[in-house]
Amino acid sequence: RGGDALLGLAILAAGAEYGPKVNRSALVAQRAALNSGWMTLGEWLSTHPPLSKRLAALEPGLMGSNPRTYRAGPIQAAAMLFFAVVVPLGATTALIAANIPELLEGFAAAAESEAEPVSAYVAPPVDSAMAIAKADLAALAAFLDESRASGALLPWDADELYDAWMARNPGASEPRDPFDGSYYGYRTRDGEYQIWSSGPDGEPGTADDVVVDSRQRRRPGG
């Protein structure tokens, strides 16, 4: 079986016609030509060893009485890999390490720029803002009273209120709370409603809120 395997390798090297005539010792001696960095890299990346090495493995006697150990190729290949992969990787790592403080500062600045609003809302003077808020709330309350009187359901939330308002007043600007620039607050319960401005402190739910309550509007003088 060993002879058949050797013959098969020789046929792979020279073809069916010349394979049986191949000088197998000479073919094994070609290992010297593979003793280079590039050839060794090619061997490492191949799925099978070169035919000369496969012959020598099957029949060690083909290497002669004083077989040589080929070390130059592996050493050169290892050096090529070191300078092609390890050195650039190490340089990149060192460069990143040297610039970590600057990179961290850049990341922090980017995070801060994303967290900060593009432009902060600036409220008008308190007296002007209060007059605007009272006028807007009165207009919204009148709109809600009229809708309720016609038998329509009260809007479910502030978004629905504003949609209905804009549908009733096409082309008009949305009424916005002058103290914080947002929608006026709105809620409904048991057929009644409340609308409010956040007031001078710009915080809803505090004592300075300007509130319109439909229950009070129903009372005489409300």
Side-chain angles (χ1 to χ4, degrees):
R1 292 183 180 180
D4 292 340
L6 292 172
L7 177 59
L9 291 175
I11 291 174
L12 284 176
E17 181 178 355
Y18 297 101
K21 304 176 183 179
V22 166
N23 184 329
R24 296 172 187 172
S25 297
L27 181 56
V28 169
Q30 290 181 4
R31 294 175 62 209
L34 303 176
N35 191 32
S36 68
W38 286 114
M39 295 300 293
T40 302
L41 280 177
E43 179 183 346
W44 288 350
L45 297 175
S46 298
T47 58
H48 296 83
L51 291 174
S52 58
K53 286 193 172 183
R54 293 163 69 181
L55 281 168
L58 289 173
E59 184 55 61
L62 295 173
M63 293 185 291
S65 58
N66 187 23
R68 294 179 56 187
T69 301
Y70 297 99
R71 297 177 179 175
I75 292 174
Q76 292 174 12
M80 292 167 67
L81 288 175
F82 178 80
F83 286 105
V85 178
V86 178
V87 171
L89 182 60
T92 302
T93 303
L95 181 62
I96 293 174
N99 289 276
I100 281 179
E102 290 79 4
L103 291 172
L104 292 177
E105 289 179 4
F107 293 150
E112 289 178 1
S113 65
E114 290 182 0
E116 294 177 355
V118 176
S119 60
Y121 176 76
V122 178
V126 173
D127 291 343
S128 299
M130 187 66 72
I132 294 170
K134 288 181 176 180
D136 284 346
L137 292 174
L140 287 169
F143 170 72
L144 289 168
D145 289 342
E146 181 182 347
S147 299
R148 185 169 57 175
S150 69
L153 294 175
L154 289 172
W156 179 259
D157 56 17
D159 289 333
E160 191 172 312
L161 168 61
Y162 272 77
D163 289 342
W165 170 269
M166 296 308 297
R168 177 70 177 275
N169 302 278
S173 58
E174 290 182 333
R176 295 279 182 151
D177 189 339
F179 290 108
D180 60 21
S182 65
Y183 283 177
Y184 287 101
Y186 169 76
R187 64 186 168 207
T188 179
R189 181 177 180 184
D190 298 332
E192 303 292 345
Y193 66 82
Q194 284 184 336
I195 48 177
W196 65 88
S197 161
S198 62
D201 66 358
E203 294 292 335
T206 56
D208 67 349
D209 289 2
V210 182
V211 181
V212 174
D213 191 321
S214 65
R215 294 170 296 181
Q216 294 176 349
R217 290 172 63 82
R218 288 177 180 271
R219 298 171 187 169

